[in-house]
Amino acid sequence: IPAEPLFRSQIENKLKLIVKKIHKNKSFDQIVDELEEDADVVQPLYDFVLKHIDCGEDEMVQKYLENIE
């Protein structure tokens, strides 16, 4: 299996989890803790989600993936 799709699906999964956690009013530190990732991994995803919080999840994921390709 190529690494690329796994990487994309991991990002998609994390973005969607972050969206849900933000909607539950969780703090950045809580989100980092619950995702069991380093803060520097979560930070760019978290910032992106906050910036695009009005988008639907799928649209947000699409925009993020376009930005990193």
Coordinates of all heavy atoms in Angstrom, one line a residue:
I1 N 0.9 -1.2 0.0 CA 0.0 0.0 0.0 C 0.9 1.2 0.0 O 1.8 1.3 0.8 CB -0.9 0.0 1.3 CG1 -1.8 -1.2 1.3 CG2 -1.8 1.3 1.3 CD1 -2.5 -1.4 2.6
P2 N 0.6 2.2 -0.9 CA 1.5 3.4 -0.9 C 1.2 4.2 0.4 O 0.1 4.2 0.9 CB 1.0 4.2 -2.1 CG -0.1 3.4 -2.8 CD -0.4 2.1 -2.0
A3 N 2.2 5.0 0.8 CA 2.1 5.8 2.0 C 1.2 6.9 1.9 O 0.5 7.3 2.8 CB 3.5 6.3 2.4
E4 N 1.1 7.5 0.7 CA 0.3 8.7 0.5 C -1.2 8.6 1.0 O -1.6 9.4 1.8 CB 0.3 9.1 -1.0 CG -0.5 10.3 -1.4 CD 0.2 11.6 -1.1 OE1 1.4 11.6 -0.8 OE2 -0.4 12.6 -1.3
P5 N -2.0 7.6 0.5 CA -3.4 7.5 1.0 C -3.5 7.4 2.5 O -4.4 8.0 3.1 CB -3.9 6.3 0.3 CG -3.0 6.0 -0.9 CD -1.7 6.5 -0.4
L6 N -2.6 6.7 3.1 CA -2.7 6.5 4.6 C -2.4 7.9 5.2 O -3.2 8.3 6.1 CB -1.6 5.5 5.0 CG -1.5 5.2 6.5 CD1 -2.8 4.6 7.0 CD2 -0.4 4.4 6.9
F7 N -1.5 8.6 4.7 CA -1.1 9.9 5.2 C -2.4 10.8 5.1 O -2.8 11.5 6.1 CB 0.0 10.5 4.5 CG 0.5 11.8 4.9 CD1 0.9 12.1 6.2 CD2 0.5 12.9 4.0 CE1 1.3 13.3 6.6 CE2 0.9 14.2 4.4 CZ 1.3 14.4 5.7
R8 N -3.0 10.8 3.9 CA -4.2 11.6 3.7 C -5.3 11.2 4.6 O -6.0 12.1 5.2 CB -4.6 11.5 2.2 CG -3.7 12.2 1.2 CD -4.2 11.9 -0.2 NE -5.5 12.5 -0.4 CZ -5.7 13.5 -1.2 NH1 -4.7 13.9 -2.0 NH2 -6.9 13.9 -1.4
S9 N -5.5 9.9 4.8 CA -6.6 9.5 5.6 C -6.4 9.8 7.1 O -7.3 10.1 7.8 CB -6.9 8.0 5.5 OG -5.8 7.2 5.9
Q10 N -5.1 9.8 7.5 CA -4.8 10.2 8.9 C -5.1 11.6 9.1 O -5.6 12.0 10.1 CB -3.3 9.9 9.2 CG -3.0 8.4 9.4 CD -1.5 8.2 9.6 OE1 -0.7 8.8 8.9 NE2 -1.2 7.3 10.5
I11 N -4.7 12.5 8.1 CA -5.0 13.9 8.2 C -6.5 14.2 8.3 O -7.0 14.9 9.1 CB -4.3 14.7 7.0 CG1 -2.8 14.7 7.2 CG2 -4.9 16.1 6.9 CD1 -2.1 15.3 6.0
E12 N -7.2 13.5 7.4 CA -8.6 13.7 7.3 C -9.3 13.3 8.7 O -10.1 14.0 9.2 CB -9.2 12.8 6.2 CG -10.7 12.9 6.0 CD -11.2 12.1 4.8 OE1 -10.3 11.7 3.9 OE2 -12.4 12.0 4.6
N13 N -8.8 12.2 9.2 CA -9.4 11.7 10.5 C -9.1 12.7 11.6 O -10.0 13.1 12.4 CB -8.7 10.3 10.8 CG -9.4 9.6 11.9 OD1 -10.5 9.9 12.3 ND2 -8.6 8.7 12.5
K14 N -7.9 13.2 11.6 CA -7.5 14.2 12.7 C -8.2 15.5 12.6 O -8.7 16.0 13.6 CB -6.0 14.4 12.7 CG -5.2 13.2 13.2 CD -3.8 13.5 13.6 CE -3.0 12.3 13.8 NZ -3.6 11.3 14.6
L15 N -8.4 16.0 11.3 CA -9.1 17.2 11.1 C -10.5 17.1 11.6 O -11.1 17.9 12.3 CB -9.1 17.6 9.6 CG -7.9 18.3 9.1 CD1 -8.0 18.4 7.6 CD2 -7.7 19.6 9.7
K16 N -11.2 15.9 11.3 CA -12.6 15.7 11.7 C -12.7 15.6 13.2 O -13.6 16.1 13.8 CB -13.2 14.5 11.0 CG -13.4 14.8 9.5 CD -14.0 13.6 8.8 CE -14.3 14.0 7.3 NZ -14.9 12.9 6.6
L17 N -11.7 14.9 13.8 CA -11.7 14.8 15.3 C -11.6 16.2 15.9 O -12.2 16.5 16.9 CB -10.6 13.9 15.8 CG -10.9 12.4 15.6 CD1 -9.6 11.6 15.9 CD2 -12.0 11.9 16.5
I18 N -10.7 17.0 15.4 CA -10.4 18.4 15.9 C -11.7 19.2 15.8 O -12.1 19.9 16.7 CB -9.2 19.0 15.2 CG1 -7.9 18.3 15.6 CG2 -9.1 20.5 15.6 CD1 -6.7 18.7 14.8
V19 N -12.4 19.1 14.6 CA -13.6 19.9 14.5 C -14.6 19.5 15.6 O -15.2 20.4 16.2 CB -14.3 19.6 13.1 CG1 -15.7 20.1 13.0 CG2 -13.4 20.1 12.0
K20 N -14.8 18.2 15.8 CA -15.7 17.7 16.8 C -15.4 18.2 18.2 O -16.2 18.6 18.9 CB -15.8 16.2 16.8 CG -16.5 15.6 15.6 CD -16.7 14.1 15.6 CE -17.4 13.5 14.5 NZ -16.6 13.5 13.2
K21 N -14.1 18.2 18.5 CA -13.6 18.6 19.8 C -13.8 20.1 20.0 O -14.1 20.5 21.1 CB -12.2 18.1 20.0 CG -12.1 16.6 20.2 CD -10.7 16.1 20.3 CE -10.6 14.6 20.2 NZ -11.4 13.9 21.2
I22 N -13.5 20.9 19.0 CA -13.7 22.3 19.1 C -15.2 22.6 19.3 O -15.6 23.5 20.1 CB -13.2 23.0 17.8 CG1 -11.7 23.0 17.8 CG2 -13.7 24.5 17.7 CD1 -11.0 23.5 16.6
H23 N -16.1 21.9 18.6 CA -17.5 22.1 18.8 C -18.0 21.7 20.2 O -19.0 22.2 20.7 CB -18.3 21.3 17.7 CG -18.3 21.9 16.4 ND1 -18.7 23.3 16.2 CD2 -18.0 21.4 15.2 CE1 -18.6 23.5 14.9 NE2 -18.2 22.5 14.2
K24 N -17.2 20.9 20.8 CA -17.5 20.5 22.2 C -16.8 21.4 23.2 O -16.7 21.2 24.4 CB -17.1 19.1 22.5 CG -17.9 18.0 21.8 CD -17.5 16.6 22.1 CE -18.4 15.6 21.4 NZ -17.8 14.2 21.5
N25 N -16.2 22.5 22.7 CA -15.5 23.6 23.5 C -14.3 23.0 24.2 O -14.0 23.5 25.3 CB -16.5 24.2 24.4 CG -17.6 25.0 23.7 OD1 -17.3 25.7 22.7 ND2 -18.8 24.8 24.1
K26 N -13.6 22.1 23.6 CA -12.4 21.6 24.3 C -11.2 22.5 24.0 O -11.2 23.1 22.9 CB -12.1 20.2 23.8 CG -13.2 19.2 24.2 CD -12.8 17.8 24.2 CE -14.0 17.0 24.7 NZ -13.5 15.7 25.1
S27 N -10.3 22.7 24.9 CA -9.2 23.5 24.7 C -8.1 22.8 23.8 O -8.2 21.6 23.6 CB -8.5 23.8 26.1 OG -7.9 22.7 26.6
F28 N -7.2 23.7 23.3 CA -6.1 23.1 22.5 C -5.4 22.0 23.2 O -5.1 20.9 22.7 CB -5.2 24.2 22.1 CG -4.0 23.7 21.3 CD1 -4.1 23.3 20.0 CD2 -2.7 23.7 21.9 CE1 -3.0 22.8 19.3 CE2 -1.6 23.2 21.2 CZ -1.8 22.8 19.9
D29 N -5.1 22.3 24.5 CA -4.3 21.3 25.3 C -5.1 20.0 25.5 O -4.5 18.9 25.4 CB -4.0 21.9 26.7 CG -2.9 23.0 26.6 OD1 -2.1 22.9 25.6 OD2 -2.9 23.8 27.4
Q30 N -6.4 20.1 25.7 CA -7.3 18.9 25.8 C -7.2 18.1 24.5 O -7.2 16.9 24.5 CB -8.7 19.3 26.1 CG -9.0 19.6 27.6 CD -10.4 20.0 27.7 OE1 -10.9 21.0 27.1 NE2 -11.2 19.3 28.5
I31 N -7.3 18.8 23.4 CA -7.3 18.2 22.1 C -6.0 17.4 21.8 O -6.0 16.3 21.4 CB -7.7 19.2 21.0 CG1 -9.1 19.7 21.1 CG2 -7.4 18.6 19.6 CD1 -9.5 20.9 20.2
V32 N -4.9 18.1 22.1 CA -3.6 17.5 21.9 C -3.5 16.2 22.8 O -3.1 15.2 22.3 CB -2.5 18.5 22.4 CG1 -1.1 17.8 22.5 CG2 -2.4 19.6 21.4
D33 N -4.0 16.3 24.0 CA -3.9 15.2 24.9 C -4.8 14.0 24.4 O -4.3 12.9 24.4 CB -4.5 15.7 26.3 CG -4.1 14.7 27.4 OD1 -3.0 14.2 27.4 OD2 -5.0 14.4 28.2
E34 N -6.0 14.3 24.0 CA -6.9 13.3 23.5 C -6.5 12.7 22.2 O -6.7 11.5 22.0 CB -8.3 13.9 23.4 CG -8.9 14.1 24.8 CD -10.3 14.8 24.7 OE1 -10.9 14.8 23.6 OE2 -10.7 15.3 25.8
L35 N -5.8 13.4 21.3 CA -5.3 12.9 20.1 C -4.0 12.1 20.3 O -3.6 11.4 19.4 CB -5.1 14.0 19.0 CG -6.3 14.7 18.5 CD1 -5.9 15.8 17.5 CD2 -7.3 13.7 17.8
E36 N -3.4 12.3 21.4 CA -2.2 11.6 21.7 C -1.1 11.9 20.7 O -0.4 11.0 20.2 CB -2.4 10.1 21.9 CG -3.3 9.8 23.1 CD -3.5 8.3 23.3 OE1 -3.2 7.5 22.4 OE2 -4.0 7.9 24.4
E37 N -1.0 13.2 20.3 CA 0.0 13.7 19.4 C 0.8 14.8 20.0 O 0.3 15.4 21.0 CB -0.7 14.2 18.1 CG -1.3 13.2 17.2 CD -0.3 12.5 16.4 OE1 0.9 12.7 16.4 OE2 -0.8 11.6 15.6
D38 N 1.9 15.1 19.4 CA 2.7 16.3 19.9 C 1.9 17.5 19.5 O 1.3 17.6 18.5 CB 4.1 16.3 19.3 CG 5.0 15.2 19.8 OD1 4.7 14.7 20.9 OD2 5.9 14.8 19.0
A39 N 2.1 18.5 20.4 CA 1.4 19.8 20.1 C 1.8 20.4 18.7 O 1.0 21.0 18.0 CB 1.7 20.8 21.2
D40 N 3.1 20.2 18.4 CA 3.5 20.8 17.1 C 2.9 20.0 15.9 O 2.9 20.6 14.7 CB 5.0 20.9 17.0 CG 5.7 19.5 17.2 OD1 5.1 18.6 17.5 OD2 7.0 19.5 17.0
V41 N 2.4 18.8 16.1 CA 1.7 18.1 15.0 C 0.2 18.6 14.9 O -0.3 18.9 13.8 CB 1.7 16.6 15.3 CG1 0.8 15.9 14.3 CG2 3.1 16.0 15.3
V42 N -0.4 18.9 16.1 CA -1.8 19.3 16.1 C -1.9 20.8 15.8 O -2.9 21.1 15.1 CB -2.4 19.0 17.5 CG1 -3.8 19.5 17.6 CG2 -2.3 17.5 17.9
Q43 N -1.0 21.6 16.1 CA -1.1 23.1 16.0 C -1.5 23.5 14.6 O -2.5 24.2 14.4 CB 0.2 23.8 16.4 CG 0.1 25.3 16.4 CD -0.7 25.8 17.6 OE1 -0.3 25.5 18.8 NE2 -1.8 26.5 17.4
P44 N -0.8 23.1 13.5 CA -1.2 23.6 12.2 C -2.7 23.1 11.8 O -3.4 23.8 11.1 CB -0.2 23.0 11.2 CG 0.6 22.0 12.0 CD 0.4 22.3 13.4
L45 N -3.0 21.9 12.2 CA -4.3 21.3 11.9 C -5.4 22.2 12.7 O -6.4 22.6 12.1 CB -4.4 19.9 12.3 CG -3.6 18.9 11.5 CD1 -3.5 17.5 12.2 CD2 -4.1 18.7 10.1
Y46 N -5.1 22.4 13.9 CA -6.0 23.2 14.8 C -6.2 24.6 14.3 O -7.4 25.0 14.2 CB -5.4 23.2 16.2 CG -6.2 23.9 17.3 CD1 -7.3 23.3 17.9 CD2 -5.9 25.2 17.6 CE1 -8.0 24.0 18.9 CE2 -6.6 25.9 18.6 CZ -7.6 25.3 19.2 OH -8.4 26.0 20.2
D47 N -5.1 25.2 13.9 CA -5.2 26.6 13.4 C -6.0 26.6 12.1 O -6.9 27.5 11.9 CB -3.8 27.2 13.1 CG -3.0 27.4 14.3 OD1 -3.6 27.5 15.4 OD2 -1.8 27.6 14.2
F48 N -5.8 25.6 11.2 CA -6.6 25.5 10.0 C -8.1 25.3 10.2 O -8.9 26.0 9.6 CB -6.0 24.4 9.1 CG -6.6 24.3 7.8 CD1 -6.1 25.0 6.7 CD2 -7.8 23.5 7.5 CE1 -6.7 25.0 5.5 CE2 -8.3 23.5 6.3 CZ -7.8 24.2 5.2
V49 N -8.4 24.4 11.2 CA -9.8 24.2 11.5 C -10.5 25.5 12.0 O -11.6 25.8 11.6 CB -9.9 23.1 12.6 CG1 -11.3 23.0 13.1 CG2 -9.6 21.7 11.9
L50 N -9.8 26.2 12.9 CA -10.4 27.4 13.5 C -10.6 28.5 12.3 O -11.6 29.1 12.3 CB -9.4 28.1 14.5 CG -9.4 27.4 15.9 CD1 -8.5 28.1 16.8 CD2 -10.8 27.2 16.5
K51 N -9.7 28.5 11.4 CA -9.8 29.5 10.3 C -10.9 29.1 9.4 O -11.5 30.0 8.7 CB -8.5 29.5 9.5 CG -8.2 30.7 8.6 CD -6.8 30.7 8.2 CE -6.7 31.2 6.7 NZ -5.4 31.0 6.2
H52 N -11.2 27.8 9.2 CA -12.3 27.3 8.3 C -13.4 26.7 9.0 O -14.1 25.8 8.4 CB -11.6 26.4 7.3 CG -10.5 27.0 6.5 ND1 -9.2 27.0 6.9 CD2 -10.6 27.6 5.3 CE1 -8.5 27.6 5.9 NE2 -9.3 28.0 5.0
I53 N -13.7 27.1 10.2 CA -14.7 26.4 11.1 C -16.1 26.5 10.4 O -17.0 25.7 10.7 CB -14.7 27.0 12.5 CG1 -15.4 26.0 13.5 CG2 -15.3 28.4 12.6 CD1 -14.6 24.8 13.8
D54 N -16.4 27.5 9.6 CA -17.7 27.6 8.9 C -17.9 26.6 7.7 O -19.0 26.5 7.3 CB -17.9 29.0 8.4 CG -18.0 30.0 9.6 OD1 -18.3 29.6 10.7 OD2 -17.7 31.2 9.4
C55 N -16.8 26.0 7.3 CA -16.9 25.1 6.2 C -17.4 23.7 6.7 O -17.3 23.5 7.9 CB -15.5 24.8 5.6 SG -14.7 26.2 4.8
G56 N -18.0 22.9 5.9 CA -18.3 21.6 6.2 C -17.0 20.8 6.4 O -16.0 21.2 5.9
E57 N -17.1 19.7 7.1 CA -15.9 18.9 7.4 C -15.2 18.4 6.1 O -14.0 18.5 6.0 CB -16.3 17.6 8.1 CG -16.5 17.8 9.6 CD -16.7 16.5 10.4 OE1 -16.7 15.4 9.8 OE2 -17.0 16.6 11.6
D58 N -16.0 17.9 5.1 CA -15.4 17.4 3.9 C -14.7 18.5 3.1 O -13.7 18.4 2.5 CB -16.5 16.7 3.0 CG -17.0 15.4 3.7 OD1 -16.2 14.9 4.5 OD2 -18.1 15.1 3.5
E59 N -15.4 19.7 3.0 CA -14.8 20.8 2.3 C -13.5 21.3 3.0 O -12.5 21.6 2.4 CB -15.8 22.0 2.4 CG -15.4 23.2 1.5 CD -16.4 24.3 1.6 OE1 -17.5 24.2 2.2 OE2 -16.0 25.4 1.2
M60 N -13.5 21.3 4.3 CA -12.3 21.7 5.1 C -11.2 20.7 4.8 O -10.0 21.1 4.6 CB -12.7 21.6 6.6 CG -11.6 22.2 7.5 SD -12.0 22.1 9.2 CE -13.5 23.0 9.4
V61 N -11.5 19.4 4.8 CA -10.4 18.4 4.5 C -9.9 18.6 3.1 O -8.7 18.6 2.9 CB -11.0 17.0 4.7 CG1 -10.1 15.9 4.1 CG2 -11.3 16.7 6.2
Q62 N -10.8 18.8 2.2 CA -10.4 19.1 0.8 C -9.4 20.3 0.7 O -8.4 20.2 0.1 CB -11.6 19.3 -0.1 CG -11.4 19.1 -1.5 CD -10.9 17.7 -1.9 OE1 -11.4 16.7 -1.4 NE2 -9.9 17.6 -2.7
K63 N -9.8 21.4 1.3 CA -9.0 22.6 1.3 C -7.6 22.3 1.9 O -6.6 22.8 1.4 CB -9.6 23.7 2.1 CG -10.7 24.4 1.3 CD -11.2 25.6 2.1 CE -12.4 26.3 1.3 NZ -12.9 27.4 2.0
Y64 N -7.6 21.6 3.1 CA -6.3 21.3 3.7 C -5.4 20.5 2.8 O -4.2 20.8 2.7 CB -6.5 20.6 5.1 CG -5.2 20.6 5.9 CD1 -4.9 21.6 6.7 CD2 -4.4 19.5 5.8 CE1 -3.7 21.6 7.4 CE2 -3.2 19.4 6.5 CZ -2.9 20.5 7.3 OH -1.7 20.5 8.0
L65 N -5.9 19.5 2.2 CA -5.1 18.6 1.4 C -4.6 19.3 0.1 O -3.5 19.1 -0.3 CB -5.9 17.3 1.0 CG -6.3 16.4 2.1 CD1 -7.2 15.3 1.7 CD2 -5.0 15.8 2.7
E66 N -5.4 20.2 -0.4 CA -5.0 21.1 -1.5 C -3.8 21.9 -1.1 O -2.9 22.2 -1.9 CB -6.1 21.9 -2.0 CG -7.2 21.2 -2.8 CD -8.5 21.9 -3.1 OE1 -8.5 23.2 -2.8 OE2 -9.4 21.3 -3.6
N67 N -3.9 22.4 0.1 CA -2.8 23.3 0.6 C -1.4 22.6 0.8 O -0.4 23.2 0.7 CB -3.2 23.9 1.9 CG -4.1 25.1 1.8 OD1 -4.4 25.5 0.7 ND2 -4.5 25.6 2.9
I68 N -1.5 21.3 1.1 CA -0.2 20.6 1.3 C 0.3 19.9 0.1 O 1.4 19.4 0.1 CB -0.3 19.6 2.5 CG1 -1.4 18.6 2.3 CG2 -0.6 20.4 3.8 CD1 -1.4 17.4 3.3
E69 N -0.5 19.8 -1.0 CA 0.0 19.0 -2.2 C 0.9 19.9 -3.0 O 0.9 21.1 -3.0 CB -1.2 18.5 -2.9 CG -1.8 17.3 -2.3 CD -3.1 16.8 -2.9 OE1 -3.6 17.5 -3.8 OE2 -3.6 15.8 -2.4

